[in-house]
Amino acid sequence: FQIVAWDPAHPLDVEACVVESGVNQHFTIMDLFAPEPITQFGATVDAIAAFARSDGSASAADTAGLPDHLLKRATVVIQTVEAVQSQLEQIQRSWRLADTSGSLTAATRAACQALPTPISLSQYYVYRRIYRLHAGSRALIAAALHRSTYQKTRIDPNAQHFVDTIIRRFYRSNPPMRAQTVYRIAQLLWEHNRHWWLNRTHGPDSDQTALLERLLDNRRPIDDVLADSGLVTQLTPISLPARSWFYTYLRWFCGQPDEGAQVYITRHGQADWDANFLLFDRFIQHASLPLQYVCADHYLLDVLHVDEEFREVLPRLWLTVLIDAYSRAIVGFFLAYEPPNIESIQGALRHAIWPKTNLAEWGVALPWACYGIPQRLSLDNAWAHHSHSLEDLTRALANAGQYTQMDVLWRPPYQARYGALVERVFGNLSGQLRELLPGAILPAGQRHWHQASAQACLLYRDVLRVLVQLMVTYMHTPHRELAGRTPHEQWVQGLQRMVPVPPPFTAHLERCFWRLFPSTRGVTKEGLAIFGMHYWDGPLGGLRSPDRQGRPRRFHVRYDPMDISRVAVFEAGTWLGDAFARELRLPDGRFESVSLWELTLAKALERQRHPQTRSRPQSWLIALLETRELIAQRQAEKKTIRRKVQHLQEHRRGRPPMRSAADRDAVETAQCQSSQQALAQRDDTPTDVRNDVLELLKEVL
């Protein structure tokens, strides 16, 4: 193809024509830079053909150019392997004649010990691998015995730093670039900087960070740097390494990541490695559009709240937040009692993908226009995030390429700094919650001020309302990293280059956000067997028929852990309908709503009651209903006891008995009536105050 048109107003679209036929075709940048297949670029058609004709086969080794000691070692390898193989063939021939068998490992070990110079079994395996790899060629074996640094060019430390910087900055991008492209970038930067680079022996690395970023910015000329006498002393001319050396070094560096990391740390320091080399530390620098990189993390709120019925302290809530790396905007969140699980991520995604239209119920007047499917979702390496449910959800959201295909990226384990973008938001949010809300858990050095459990009074909806208000306030707060703009303004500015298009929220897509059952299920005569119950519905009657090959059909099932009386049935990604638990059907045709944890608890209680017998659904369903009745009874008893304790406290010694609420209302009503009667009988005729005084003194004015 030959690129024929590119519009700066639409930088992600390219028009190209087929060289042979001249037919135009539309491409996107994502198509051209997809990891598979790799796209090759060239200035001319001949350059592209040269890539295709290039042959990287290695030439045969010449014994004339090899040292004698390597040739002697190669001879020892060949003689050792051939002697052991000959001995093994004799042993196997004797086994065949005697019609017996034995251990080949033991025979090999015995053959190694029978050599004039015995060797160990592991050493023989090394010799045999080299012998087979080079087909017994003495010259190739001798060439392979060279040291690992043989024929490696000694390179200037400043040029070495230049190569390492290019590799860490461009080769570790996402998707990764080819080695040819990275070397071409190195050539362009080397020529743009007029062969100047940092002098690593000049001063500490921290003083050269800004200058390093300046040298990597090819949009600005190098003349202003060379004109500054203070900066030019920190530079030195370097030579660009050869292309073959660069390819060899890059292959060695990436083939041995642990050794490469140690070499890099030895050369440039641990902080430089952690700050620049790893992909997850450079989301902010790489992000050029909204939703390109979205980071997710979880936070245990430092606030205690109470239930609505008894006002008792409940467990702390977990907050899951999605942050856009380009704008620092909060795209979505999810608040739950359960520790981080797959529902937390899928619930936050559901809140993030579609526009937020219910802000008025939370008392929010400012806009929150962040929505859309993330292109890349960065998660920590928790076990719950490696879920087939999330992978299946990404395919359902993409809808066979009609919408954005979300890629899930997992951060390295035990490396909390890779989620610093979200952790900063959590730190600010934690400080605001401690200042605003009663029941906040203070730091260890301040907990003597008050007890959080004694002041907890907020309900779940109150905490949710405050969180929404704080997040919207954060969205409209200027950020120093955004040049004084707010995250919402940065997001709106990014919308000039792209517009998120979420899929319609259908019943099918709604059920895709439910948890995916780990294995497929087949249909029996009772229905789909899950959780020890049988699910079925009339419209699903055709599922019992076999497929076109005559095999029984298998179905995927999704369910809501808070209500397992209903499940969604899928086949090949298509929602077929909902099935209901027959065992939970009530006489009026409705179905009893049961959560997964209630079902698990009822099964455990039934096994404790009858450990010798295998419980059936009817038995643990009865246990479930009995447990609910017991809980209701205990709650009623708790209310009664609380009222009695309150009554006793009101009649403590030294205090007058307090009437009930009805008695107090009656007394207040009687007092109001008597006051009104007294006011009505009062003579409001004005009198002279002096007469009253003289009357008291028995005198007349």
Side-chain angles (χ1 to χ4, degrees), residues 601-639:
L601 177 62
K603 289 182 179 181
L605 293 176
E606 187 62 25
R607 282 193 295 267
Q608 291 179 0
R609 293 179 181 177
H610 309 284
Q612 304 298 332
T613 60
R614 182 179 180 182
S615 59
R616 295 188 176 185
Q618 292 78 5
S619 58
W620 47 258
L621 285 177
I622 293 175
L624 173 64
L625 297 178
E626 292 177 351
T627 304
R628 287 184 175 180
E629 294 177 357
L630 179 62
I631 292 175
Q633 179 182 352
R634 293 293 182 261
Q635 289 178 347
E637 294 175 356
K638 188 174 184 180
K639 283 184 178 180

Side-chain angles (χ1 to χ4, degrees), residues 282-430:
R282 306 206 60 81
F283 275 157
I284 299 177
Q285 288 80 359
H286 290 167
S288 58
L289 293 172
L291 298 175
Q292 188 175 2
Y293 294 100
V294 175
C295 304
D297 211 339
H298 314 277
Y299 167 59
L300 184 60
L301 291 182
D302 296 327
V303 176
L304 298 180
H305 69 293
V306 297
D307 64 328
E308 296 189 6
E309 186 173 4
F310 299 103
R311 295 300 192 267
E312 289 190 345
V313 178
L314 295 177
R316 295 160 64 184
L317 294 167
W318 280 92
L319 176 65
T320 303
V321 173
L322 303 183
I323 302 288
D324 177 57
Y326 170 76
S327 62
R328 318 301 201 276
I330 298 178
V331 187
F333 76 98
F334 186 76
L335 189 65
Y337 289 96
E338 295 79 11
N341 51 37
I342 194 60
E343 276 81 20
S344 303
I345 292 297
Q346 294 186 167
L349 279 174
R350 178 173 176 175
H351 183 256
I353 292 175
W354 287 277
K356 302 156 183 63
T357 58
N358 59 342
L359 296 179
E361 354 180 310
W362 308 114
V364 176
L366 296 174
W368 190 358
C370 302
Y371 66 92
I373 303 177
Q375 297 181 18
R376 295 176 180 88
L377 179 63
S378 171
L379 303 172
D380 58 18
N381 215 5
W383 182 251
H385 296 161
H386 295 270
S387 170
H388 294 291
S389 181
L390 183 59
E391 296 176 4
D392 189 72
L393 176 60
T394 59
R395 289 191 291 268
L397 290 173
N399 195 14
Q402 186 176 0
Y403 300 96
T404 303
Q405 176 67 45
M406 182 174 62
D407 297 330
V408 181
L409 306 175
W410 290 279
R411 300 191 286 270
Y414 307 109
Q415 303 291 340
R417 61 182 181 275
Y418 298 150
L421 191 64
V422 190
E423 295 295 340
R424 178 186 299 180
V425 177
F426 286 158
N428 296 335
L429 187 63
S430 175

Side-chain angles (χ1 to χ4, degrees), residues 77-95:
V77 171
I78 295 173
Q79 292 177 353
T80 301
V81 173
E82 292 179 351
V84 173
Q85 292 292 340
S86 177
Q87 183 69 18
L88 289 177
E89 291 177 0
Q90 294 179 6
I91 294 175
Q92 291 175 349
R93 188 181 304 110
S94 63
W95 286 348

Side-chain angles (χ1 to χ4, degrees), residues 88-155:
L88 289 177
E89 291 177 0
Q90 294 179 6
I91 294 175
Q92 291 175 349
R93 188 181 304 110
S94 63
W95 286 348
R96 289 193 295 269
L97 293 176
D99 196 16
T100 58
S101 62
S103 173
L104 184 60
T105 303
T108 305
R109 184 180 291 106
C112 293
Q113 296 299 321
L115 294 173
T117 304
I119 62 174
S120 63
L121 189 61
S122 59
Q123 185 64 38
Y124 165 72
Y125 287 154
V126 174
Y127 285 173
R128 188 182 65 178
R129 180 180 58 82
I130 298 175
Y131 182 88
R132 292 179 178 179
L133 181 62
H134 302 286
S137 173
R138 181 167 173 263
L140 292 178
I141 294 176
L145 295 176
H146 273 299
R147 68 182 187 276
S148 59
T149 58
Y150 179 70
Q151 288 185 343
K152 286 189 176 180
T153 307
R154 292 184 178 272
I155 187 172

Side-chain angles (χ1 to χ4, degrees), residues 28-37 39 41 174-177 181 376:
T28 64
I29 297 299
M30 297 301 178
D31 297 333
L32 296 180
F33 289 96
E36 293 292 340
T39 306
F41 297 89
N174 188 15
M177 294 184 178
T181 306
R376 295 176 180 88

Side-chain angles (χ1 to χ4, degrees), residues 501-512:
V501 181
F505 189 69
T506 59
H508 172 203
L509 199 55
E510 178 186 5
R511 284 155 178 80
C512 289

